[in-house]
Amino acid sequence: MTDPKAIQPSELDQLPDRDPEETAEWQASLDAVTEAAGPHRAAYLMRRTLERAEDAGVALPKLLETDYINTIPTSAEPAVDGDEAMESRITAWNRWNAAAMVTRGSKYGVGGHIATFASAAWLYETGFNHFFRGKEADGSGDQLYIQGHASPGIYARAFLDGRIGERHLDNFRREAGGDGLPSYPHPRRLPWLWEFPTVSMGLGPISAVYQARFNRYLTSRGIKDLTNSHVWAFLGDGEMDEPESTAALTLASREGLDNLTFVINCNLQRLDGPVRANFKIVQELEALFRGSGWNVVKSLWGTAWDELFQLDTTGALVRRLREVPDAQVQTYQTRDAAYIREDFFGKDPALVEMAKLLSDDKILECFHLSRGGHESRKVYAAYRAALAHKGAPTVILAQTVKGHTLGEGFASKNANHQMKKLSVDEFKAMRDRLDLPIKDSDFVDGVVPYGHPGADSPEVRYLQERRAALGGPAPARRVHPVAPLPAPADKAFSAFDKGSGSQNVATTMAFVRLVKDLVRDKETGRRWVPIVPDEARTFGMESLFPSLGIYSPKGQTYEPVDRDQLMYYKEAKNGQILNEGITEAGSMAEFIAASTSYATHGEPVIPFYIYYSMFGWQRTADQMWQLGDQLGRGFLVGATAGRTTLTGEGLQHADGHSPVIAATNPAALTYDPAFAYEIAVIVKEGLRRMYGAAAPDEDQNVFYYLTVYNEPLRQPAKPAGAGVDEGILKGLYRFNTAESAGLTVPANAPRIQLLGSGTAIHWALKAQQLLAEEWGVAADVWSATSWTELRRDAMEADEALLRGEERVPFVRQALQGAEGPVLAVSDYMRQVPDQIAQWVEQDYTSLGADGFGLSETREAARRYFGVDAESIVVAALAQLARRGEVQVTAVKEAREKYGL
């Protein structure tokens, strides 16, 4: 086999040189200038020459582009290390079963996509047979990001391999009854097969970049050696329009992630039509990736084109290929030879002469069928070149035909993304085209049969032998049995039980203090992965810089400006902090990679990602769904939370709704803690549930969302008595009563229950004092740490009732016997506390910060939204007045007294 390191020739090697002597003279001139004046002078002259050529109208590729031809000429392709004929038969079976599965499912109206895999079949088959390392190999194997719409082909291969049966194929997109297959790669729905959800377009590329980077991070920190793991991301050319697809390209090149390969299926089509109708997507992507520092390998044309390139002594063919827009290439795919002769070759006299030497069959073979992405040798050569390239990631731009082998009704048609089935006649034609041994009698009652050569057939044996040699089945997800992480010492958590005394401490600072203690733990400290998007100083994390270090593959190649300070900016090759820069999407992608390390690598780590709460669920909620789908575990921390606590920042920084969005994600456990000791209890429980000895019936595949605030306030001591920890974790507990707070109220005073979450509990406590001292009303104050968990518990009780089981929701149990109405308040829109309204037996109302945020002081903002202590007092009196427990005039009097 050819040495892969040798597969880096110039694409010019495949073009005929009509005057080799003249070429040699130009090259000798360049060599002479380099030797005499140095490489800089040579580079200067070359650039000036290119500028002159451009000014003169000489057609040359831009500096970031090469000609519209293959990077690796046929003469430089290595021999395929395998049986190409056998692999062709396997691919034919996979093509058939993928189309049959989707077509059979169409009678149920569930849809499916046929054309994508038809174009990409060889891109996957070549990888599965020769490159993709499985989970049973050394290390963790490779990580495969499969293009979502290609899932039928992956299922078809798993069927051939014996990993799934016909009943699974018949339940494609029909999961409710069991034995179903999810539409796309969904680890939560099929956790033994899929590792990475990719069909939310754009998230696969950015996730793959950060997965490759996280692999290097684990290696550098000595947690696991992943030097043999490679990340392969299969993408569509239309998908590259998504901003997330290209957001992290320079990160990948900057950090030299040669453990990463993008394979972009350039079938020139997206859902409604051509990707770049009037332009060339391949050239655009080449310039983009080259400009971002990537190695680019183009595999555009099949071997049938070799004869045409050999005839191109004037360069006219290459020029014409470069100028024809993608939509016209798509048109050639559907037209006859006469049209192609006139429209393609007829534009240049040299091409007219070339066309005279070509038969109609040759022209149709080239323009209808022969693409680099449809030939195993071309794909194999590209993959070898990608693995051989060191120092930068590689992108392979493989040109294909969407709907290839499905027939003229599919190939290159604009509507083929919406076309979900083939007719029986079309299947029979496809059978003949693929040379499959399927008889007409196998089509019973018009139903297309699945095809399988037999469990002991040469095809299946070959497939399984190849996978065994590469480390087992792929794709595959494995959760390796690892011992639960030992619980950190209680000292770190109990440090908050006594409160902060007279010192004011923001809950953001309390969380960071807790993490500082936990990362010192001898057993689990090294497994914490702090992630922050260039706001560490905002959150008070700079003290972690010198002790943990910021991860950088280059270490610190400079002397930091603050080196003489105690908390200087320290980067290190084994740094523990991931400071991602100003990219919430990148931070989330890194968090996802870390949160699933327990499965991907069998090495659990504990990521916490801290960020402006407004820039989390609002900005990257799609990735939070990806996180849930991928069964991630860890802590998301929305700092500077709430609509009124971030003074002066204004509308786009004031978060009044993140818990609403978080509540929609079933995997997210959302908490809005008010006090430092509550944070400690929640984090301790999160570590136990996600990483410790969880109970058998507990779902470990959850993640925690905590909102913390930047307002320095007194942190009280943890109340004594049983049930506090349970209440914190389930979402509600009584913090105090008017009497326990030392307030004097009449024996028969009207009573009200004030429920507050997060920073709002401080306004409730002030309102409690005002109600007692100025209005003779007794108020009990409750800390509602999680409105969402209360609601979920209540919904589960409702579901149990439908099954005939009696169960009382926790919120109702907690408030049982509490006198008077209930008034709930938070620093979020009223929809947040209103989540529990229907399960509260007492009269219930709420206050919240609805509407857009604004720039103001905290006090003025709270008065504006009507959530400050005085507003709570007026709302409480109004509730009591409606019940006849206080005079109606008291409400008016209070409004006037407080200037409301």
Side-chain angles (χ1 to χ4, degrees):
M1 186 181 72
T2 303
D3 182 359
K5 294 182 180 179
I7 311 172
Q8 294 293 339
S10 167
E11 64 275 8
L12 296 176
D13 291 351
Q14 65 188 298
L15 302 179
D17 188 348
R18 66 181 183 182
D19 193 342
E21 185 175 345
E22 182 184 32
T23 301
E25 290 174 0
W26 277 77
Q27 292 172 334
S29 297
L30 179 63
D31 292 342
V33 170
T34 303
E35 183 175 353
H40 295 292
R41 178 61 180 171
Y44 176 82
L45 291 175
M46 287 296 297
R47 288 184 180 278
R48 286 297 188 184
T49 302
L50 289 172
E51 290 172 3
R52 179 69 173 176
E54 185 174 353
D55 292 340
V58 177
L60 285 173
K62 296 179 182 178
L63 288 173
L64 294 177
E65 297 177 17
T66 60
D67 282 321
Y68 200 64
I69 55 178
N70 294 348
T71 303
I72 304 169
T74 301
S75 59
E77 292 169 3
V80 176
D81 184 21
D83 188 331
E84 294 181 68
M86 181 69 72
E87 292 174 20
S88 182
R89 292 203 297 274
I90 292 171
T91 305
W93 285 115
N94 291 339
R95 289 181 183 277
W96 176 272
N97 288 321
M101 174 176 59
V102 175
T103 297
R104 286 169 66 134
S106 67
K107 68 180 179 179
Y108 302 107
V110 295
H113 301 286
I114 305 177
T116 296
F117 177 73
S119 67
W122 274 114
L123 302 181
Y124 291 106
E125 193 59 39
T126 303
F128 284 131
N129 284 324
H130 302 282
F131 295 96
F132 304 156
R133 299 174 70 253
K135 299 296 181 184
E136 296 162 16
D138 294 339
S140 300
D142 290 350
Q143 289 79 57
L144 309 180
Y145 288 78
I146 305 294
Q147 190 179 1
H149 291 159
S151 64
I154 308 304
Y155 291 138
R157 198 173 200 277
F159 170 66
L160 204 66
D161 196 11
R163 293 202 285 165
I164 58 176
E166 287 193 16
R167 71 184 189 281
H168 297 101
L169 299 186
D170 270 344
N171 283 319
F172 175 58
R173 292 191 166 195
R174 300 171 66 219
E175 299 178 78
D179 289 336
L181 298 178
S183 52
Y184 305 121
H186 290 304
R188 185 167 286 275
R189 292 301 183 201
L190 203 62
W192 60 268
L193 181 73
W194 299 118
E195 271 196 294
F196 308 109
T198 55
V199 81
S200 190
M201 298 178 73
L203 299 191
I206 192 171
S207 295
V209 170
Y210 279 91
Q211 182 66 59
R213 185 193 191 220
F214 187 71
N215 290 357
R216 291 282 173 85
Y217 171 86
L218 289 181
T219 301
S220 296
R221 293 199 53 225
I223 293 177
K224 187 169 186 177
D225 184 356
L226 297 171
T227 52
N228 290 327
S229 285
H230 200 84
V231 178
W232 300 83
F234 289 83
L235 318 169
D237 48 1
E239 182 178 6
M240 300 310 294
D241 286 346
E242 293 282 5
E244 295 89 352
S245 295
T246 57
L249 298 187
T250 53
L251 167 71
S253 60
R254 184 168 65 247
E255 299 202 358
L257 299 182
D258 50 25
N259 60 338
L260 171 66
T261 298
F262 277 14
V263 181
I264 303 182
N265 178 15
C266 297
N267 56 35
L268 313 185
Q269 286 184 254
R270 53 189 178 200
L271 276 61
D272 290 332
V275 177
R276 294 289 183 273
N278 297 296
F279 307 93
K280 302 191 79 63
I281 186 60
V282 168
Q283 298 299 90
E284 179 181 322
L285 291 176
E286 179 184 27
L288 173 67
F289 278 89
R290 284 194 191 280
S292 299
W294 286 53
N295 175 47
V296 179
V297 176
K298 294 196 291 191
S299 183
L300 308 181
W301 309 111
T303 53
W305 283 83
D306 287 351
E307 179 183 342
L308 276 67
F309 288 127
Q310 288 302 313
L311 294 173
D312 186 27
T313 58
T314 66
L317 176 63
V318 173
R319 288 195 301 272
R320 182 66 179 138
L321 288 174
R322 188 168 61 244
E323 69 188 21
V324 174
D326 284 352
Q328 192 62 22
V329 173
Q330 181 180 338
T331 298
Y332 294 149
Q333 175 68 33
T334 64
R335 297 301 185 91
D336 59 19
Y339 178 89
I340 298 172
R341 285 181 186 276
E342 179 181 353
D343 191 86
F344 181 84
F345 292 97
K347 304 297 184 182
D348 187 296
L351 293 181
V352 171
E353 294 303 313
M354 180 187 294
K356 291 178 181 178
L357 303 175
L358 304 174
S359 66
D360 285 356
D361 287 344
K362 181 66 175 180
I363 289 176
L364 293 178
E365 180 186 13
C366 288
F367 284 84
H368 284 194
L369 302 174
S370 187
R371 300 291 187 274
H374 295 324
E375 294 189 13
S376 61
R377 293 178 68 87
K378 303 291 185 186
V379 178
Y380 184 90
Y383 287 4
R384 282 287 176 207
L387 293 180
H389 187 82
K390 300 303 178 186
T394 293
V395 60
I396 295 169
L397 303 175
Q399 186 162 267
T400 66
V401 175
K402 195 167 186 177
H404 182 61
T405 73
L406 296 180
E408 294 181 0
F410 265 83
S412 283
K413 296 298 176 65
N414 280 337
N416 62 20
H417 186 80
Q418 283 73 34
M419 298 162 68
K420 310 300 183 186
K421 60 183 178 180
L422 297 172
S423 67
V424 170
D425 288 341
E426 287 173 322
F427 263 110
K428 290 179 179 178
M430 181 182 177
R431 170 201 61 190
D432 297 340
R433 195 177 304 116
L434 298 176
D435 193 25
L436 291 173
I438 297 173
K439 303 184 292 294
D440 285 354
S441 59
D442 293 334
F443 292 81
V444 179
D445 297 328
V447 177
V448 58
Y450 296 122
H452 200 292
D456 197 39
S457 64
E459 293 92 336
V460 173
R461 288 202 306 271
Y462 180 88
L463 181 157
Q464 293 175 340
E465 287 169 0
R466 299 302 300 185
R467 288 311 316 156
L470 287 167
R477 180 179 182 272
R478 298 283 187 271
V479 179
H480 304 272
V482 294
L485 295 182
D490 279 340
K491 182 180 179 181
F493 303 104
S494 60
F496 298 93
D497 289 354
K498 295 181 180 180
S500 62
S502 60
Q503 182 182 6
N504 289 338
V505 177
T507 51
T508 299
M509 298 299 102
F511 177 83
V512 172
R513 156 77 187 280
L514 175 62
V515 170
K516 285 178 63 177
D517 289 342
L518 292 175
V519 296
R520 296 191 185 104
D521 185 84
K522 293 181 179 180
E523 296 290 338
T524 60
R526 65 192 292 265
R527 295 189 177 271
W528 281 86
V529 180
I531 300 171
V532 62
D534 198 39
E535 288 280 6
R537 298 183 191 276
T538 302
F539 308 137
M541 292 176 59
E542 64 269 28
S543 62
L544 298 177
F545 290 170
S547 58
L548 301 185
I550 299 166
Y551 170 72
S552 169
K554 288 185 175 295
Q556 194 155 38
T557 61
Y558 60 93
E559 182 178 353
V561 67
D562 55 358
R563 183 63 182 87
D564 57 344
Q565 298 178 14
L566 181 62
M567 293 182 287
Y568 71 97
Y569 193 81
K570 177 186 176 182
E571 296 187 83
K573 291 182 179 180
N574 63 345
Q576 194 164 348
I577 300 170
L578 291 168
N579 193 321
E580 301 300 350
I582 306 175
T583 168
E584 285 81 14
S587 299
M588 269 305 303
E590 192 81 78
F591 181 85
I592 292 170
S595 71
T596 52
S597 180
Y598 74 92
T600 308
H601 299 306
E603 290 287 348
V605 297
I606 311 167
F608 81 87
Y609 165 34
I610 187 168
Y611 53 89
Y612 265 60
S613 64
M614 187 67 159
F615 304 153
W617 288 90
Q618 173 171 295
R619 183 169 291 185
T620 58
D622 197 8
Q623 289 177 292
M624 273 75 164
W625 278 97
Q626 180 189 8
L627 169 65
D629 191 347
Q630 201 167 316
L631 309 176
R633 305 170 184 174
F635 296 95
L636 297 176
V637 184
T640 60
R643 181 147 280 164
T644 70
T645 60
L646 192 58
T647 56
E649 290 285 2
L651 186 152
Q652 293 187 0
H653 284 67
D655 174 20
H657 53 277
S658 68
V660 177
I661 308 175
T664 65
N665 191 309
L669 278 61
T670 303
Y671 287 90
D672 187 23
F675 305 125
Y677 66 79
E678 293 177 351
I679 293 173
V681 171
I682 294 165
V683 171
K684 181 179 181 181
E685 170 63 9
L687 292 174
R688 183 202 65 80
R689 179 169 178 176
M690 295 185 292
Y691 302 98
D697 60 339
E698 279 186 303
D699 182 5
Q700 286 186 275
N701 299 317
V702 296
F703 58 93
Y704 283 68
Y705 175 51
L706 280 70
T707 50
V708 293
Y709 299 82
N710 72 325
E711 183 176 11
L713 294 165
R714 188 183 67 84
Q715 296 297 323
K718 184 177 180 180
V724 174
D725 283 9
E726 180 188 23
I728 291 172
L729 298 176
K730 290 190 174 181
L732 184 68
Y733 69 97
R734 180 154 38 200
F735 176 71
N736 70 12
T737 64
E739 293 78 8
S740 66
L743 299 172
T744 302
V745 291
N748 60 346
R751 188 171 289 272
I752 189 168
Q753 309 299 317
L754 301 181
L755 278 57
S757 68
T759 194
I761 201 169
H762 295 280
W763 323 329
L765 289 169
K766 182 179 178 182
Q768 178 190 49
Q769 182 179 355
L770 293 175
L771 283 167
E773 295 177 352
E774 300 183 6
W775 305 99
V777 172
D780 300 340
V781 175
W782 300 69
S783 179
T785 54
S786 180
W787 308 102
T788 302
E789 288 305 295
L790 291 173
R791 175 179 174 81
R792 288 177 177 169
D793 172 79
M795 291 173 64
E796 290 173 5
D798 287 353
E799 293 170 4
L801 188 61
L802 293 176
R803 299 191 299 267
E805 304 171 16
E806 288 291 339
R807 197 180 125 195
V808 180
F810 179 80
V811 64
R812 190 169 294 168
Q813 294 178 43
L815 291 172
Q816 187 174 13
E819 299 177 29
V822 171
L823 174 59
V825 60
S826 82
D827 203 18
Y828 296 94
M829 58 195 300
R830 290 176 62 182
Q831 189 174 338
V832 174
D834 283 352
Q835 290 181 85
I836 67 170
Q838 72 186 80
W839 292 281
V840 176
E841 294 181 312
Q842 295 89 340
D843 293 339
Y844 186 92
T845 191
S846 63
L847 296 175
D850 285 77
F852 290 110
L854 77 165
S855 300
E856 256 300 352
T857 63
R858 294 184 179 114
E859 294 75 15
R862 286 160 190 168
R863 176 58 58 91
Y864 174 85
F865 286 111
V867 293
D868 61 348
E870 291 79 7
S871 298
I872 294 172
V873 169
V874 173
L877 293 174
Q879 269 188 290
L880 293 168
R882 285 194 296 271
R883 295 162 58 92
E885 298 183 25
V886 301
Q887 295 295 321
V888 175
T889 56
V891 182
K892 181 180 179 182
E893 183 182 347
R895 279 201 301 267
E896 294 174 351
K897 179 180 178 68
Y898 300 131
L900 298 178

